[in-house]
Amino acid sequence: MTLRDILNKLLRRQEASANTARERLQLVLAHDRTDLSPDLLDQMRREILEVVAKYVEIDIEEGAVSLETEDRMTALVANLPIKRDASGALRTKELTDDSESEPSKEN
Amino acid sequence: MATNTRIILICSGKGGVGKTTLTANLGIALAKKGISTAVLDADFGLRNLDLLLGLENRIIYTAQEVLEESCRLEQALVKHKQQPNLSLLPAGNPRMLDWLKPDDMQRIVSLLSEQFDYVLIDCPAGVEEGFKNAVSASKEAIVVTNPEVSAVRDADRVIGLLNTHGINPIQLVLNRVRPKMIASQEMLSIDDVTDILALPLLGLVIEDEQVIVSTNRGEPLTLNGSKTPAARCYSNIASRLHGEDIPLIDPSKEGSGMRDKLRRLMQTKIF
Ligand SMILES: Nc1ncnc2c1ncn2[C@@H]1O[C@H](COP(=O)(O)OP(=O)(O)O)[C@@H](O)[C@H]1O
Ligand SMILES: [Mg+2]
């Protein structure tokens, strides 16, 4: 945040375009670099959600899977909100086999 | 035979970002240091390097006749009158594009590297055949880009391809930098671009009307010791390329009036 950013906010001016350019580039390059089409990414998102939904109750609509990139390294980032019950505990599912799997904490 | 010849591809992906202008200015600047330098116009479709160097009227043979073995390399090379350490190997007929293969390009470049210490290859825009031919003959690359989304995106694509071809090192030149626009945050900053592309910055070139004046005359800015901002930038890039440790020009320090000071204050990060 710079003085100019604050001034722009106060005057309700548009955000400086360099920020917009940087954000748009980061997004488009993450996709360019992996060669994953939006369709494939969406299919992968759904399959990942299905797998996770076997173990914990998640909000299928809220779950987001995206590509983020930094220093020519691209990461697949999944943000999957896990539903909680009335007491606030994470809602895990009864597993069919007896392996003890620790549900991961929400980030 | 010069075994340590540096064979450097000057490429960008996008057209019109300043590859040919950089090739001409670097060629002259290196030659002025006493280094024997060849510039090769590999943009067979849209050749221009001859024009920027003011050598267009002295071309007799081209890379094409050299490849067809209808002339010797020496006959095709055009030596620069004021800077005889610099020679141009002109591009042939655009129809060369139909038959030229990576092997041909490698043959030309290996002939050049027998007698020159630097071979600068002015690469065509795009990532198709012309680009692939030129890459196949190169060892290092300079990627030229502008602080604009489309140029940066195309540069990223090219960097990926250079990496898969084992080109090393790959360095960045950021051209047409406008300090005032960066200060008002309406242009990607130097750090933005180097962070996004994750390449070492060989240098930046300020947007400068004198570039156009110099192309009108066919005399690159580095030829006559001009002190205009772009001329300083090009000379610095040549020196860094040759291993000299020259600090980067800080675009935000260009200008010292009240307005410039206020602009700097406005872009100070406060949180
Ligand atoms: N730093 C600069 N300042 C102003 N104009 C520039 C600068 N660099 C390049 N240009 C202009 O941009 C145009 C494209 O440059 P050129 O070197 O032919 O690009 P490319 O070879 O990448 O297609 C030319 O008209 C040139 O004069
Ligand atoms: Mg060109």
Side-chain angles (χ1 to χ4, degrees):
Chain A
M1 187 66 85
T2 61
L3 273 176
R4 181 175 300 276
D5 290 334
I6 293 176
L7 198 68
N8 284 347
K9 278 228 166 71
L10 286 175
L11 297 176
R12 290 170 200 275
R13 282 203 296 228
Q14 268 193 315
E15 186 187 12
S17 65
N19 292 340
T20 319
R22 188 174 49 238
E23 283 158 19
R24 291 177 61 215
L25 264 172
Q26 273 159 349
L27 213 66
V28 77
L29 290 185
H31 285 269
D32 285 359
R33 286 171 185 172
T34 49
D35 256 342
L36 263 184
S37 69
D39 275 357
L40 267 178
L41 189 66
D42 193 55
Q43 186 183 337
M44 183 164 70
R45 184 186 75 94
R46 268 182 281 121
E47 287 178 21
I48 290 173
L49 288 177
E50 275 167 31
V51 172
V52 177
K54 282 204 274 194
Y55 300 90
V56 287
E57 272 192 51
I58 51 173
D59 194 332
I60 298 276
E61 292 310 308
E62 290 296 304
V65 173
S66 62
L67 291 168
E68 287 177 17
T69 190
E70 204 169 290
D71 266 8
R72 305 204 72 79
M73 280 271 296
T74 298
L76 187 70
V77 180
N79 193 341
L80 313 174
I82 302 174
K83 286 184 180 164
R84 291 167 185 273
D85 61 21
S87 68
L90 298 179
R91 298 224 298 249
T92 56
K93 291 195 172 164
E94 291 300 316
L95 298 174
T96 41
D97 61 10
D98 52 8
S99 66
E100 289 270 304
S101 76
E102 279 269 309
S104 64
K105 275 242 169 75
E106 205 178 334
N107 59 359
Chain B
M1 172 166 162
T3 43
N4 300 323
T5 300
R6 291 185 63 183
I7 304 167
I8 308 174
L9 184 67
I10 299 182
C11 58
S12 66
K14 190 176 186 319
V17 298
K19 294 178 291 296
T20 307
T21 315
L22 178 69
T23 310
N25 277 286
L26 283 185
I28 295 279
L30 289 169
K32 275 176 108 173
K33 291 179 188 293
I35 302 164
S36 72
T37 305
V39 288
L40 166 60
D41 191 348
D43 196 350
F44 301 105
L46 302 162
R47 51 188 188 174
N48 273 326
L49 190 54
D50 53 346
L51 210 50
L52 294 203
L53 286 165
L55 298 175
E56 71 275 15
N57 291 325
R58 296 185 36 216
I59 296 175
I60 301 168
Y61 298 110
T62 68
Q64 181 171 356
E65 286 78 32
V66 177
L67 275 173
E68 291 167 353
E69 295 180 6
S70 53
C71 80
R72 285 173 296 112
L73 178 65
E74 284 66 28
Q75 294 173 288
L77 287 171
V78 187
K79 202 175 262 191
H80 197 280
K81 281 224 173 76
Q82 282 160 274
Q83 289 300 332
N85 287 324
L86 179 70
S87 294
L88 164 74
L89 182 56
N93 190 296
R95 273 194 301 268
M96 271 179 91
L97 288 172
D98 300 339
W99 54 265
L100 197 86
K101 293 270 164 318
D103 281 355
D104 301 317
M105 202 67 188
Q106 285 161 20
R107 247 174 67 214
I108 299 179
V109 171
S110 87
L111 282 175
L112 287 170
S113 53
E114 281 172 23
Q115 33 176 305
F116 294 95
D117 292 324
Y118 276 73
V119 177
L120 307 180
I121 306 176
D122 185 19
C123 186
V127 290
E128 293 82 31
E129 294 311 304
F131 168 77
K132 286 181 185 143
N133 290 337
V135 178
S136 77
S138 308
K139 290 186 199 158
E140 315 176 29
I142 297 175
V143 175
V144 187
T145 193
N146 300 155
E148 289 183 53
V149 285
S150 53
V152 175
R153 182 192 200 176
D154 292 355
D156 190 75
R157 182 81 200 288
V158 162
I159 296 164
L161 293 170
L162 293 171
N163 277 324
T164 52
H165 280 86
I167 302 293
N168 180 36
I170 308 171
Q171 303 182 84
L172 187 69
V173 166
L174 187 55
N175 186 28
R176 310 198 75 150
V177 171
R178 298 177 185 227
K180 287 188 183 162
M181 288 191 75
I182 292 185
S184 58
Q185 294 171 38
E186 302 294 359
M187 178 171 267
L188 290 165
S189 71
I190 318 298
D191 286 346
D192 285 342
V193 179
T194 52
D195 286 354
I196 289 171
L197 295 177
L199 280 192
L201 183 65
L202 181 62
L204 48 93
V205 185
I206 307 276
E207 170 86 21
D208 186 342
E209 289 176 356
Q210 291 304 313
V211 171
I212 296 170
V213 175
S214 78
T215 57
N216 289 342
R217 299 215 165 94
E219 295 170 358
L221 284 174
T222 47
L223 185 61
N224 296 318
S226 159
K227 289 281 181 290
T228 195
R232 273 189 292 143
C233 295
Y234 285 126
S235 307
N236 287 350
I237 291 172
S239 299
R240 274 184 223 117
L241 188 62
H242 199 54
E244 291 169 48
D245 191 11
I246 312 260
L248 278 176
I249 287 176
D250 183 349
S252 69
K253 300 243 162 59
E254 300 275 305
S256 53
M258 268 309 281
R259 266 165 181 276
D260 300 295
K261 282 185 182 143
L262 180 65
R263 233 176 10 232
R264 285 202 278 279
L265 176 68
M266 293 300 287
Q267 62 174 337
T268 315
K269 281 219 163 65
I270 45 184
F271 60 82

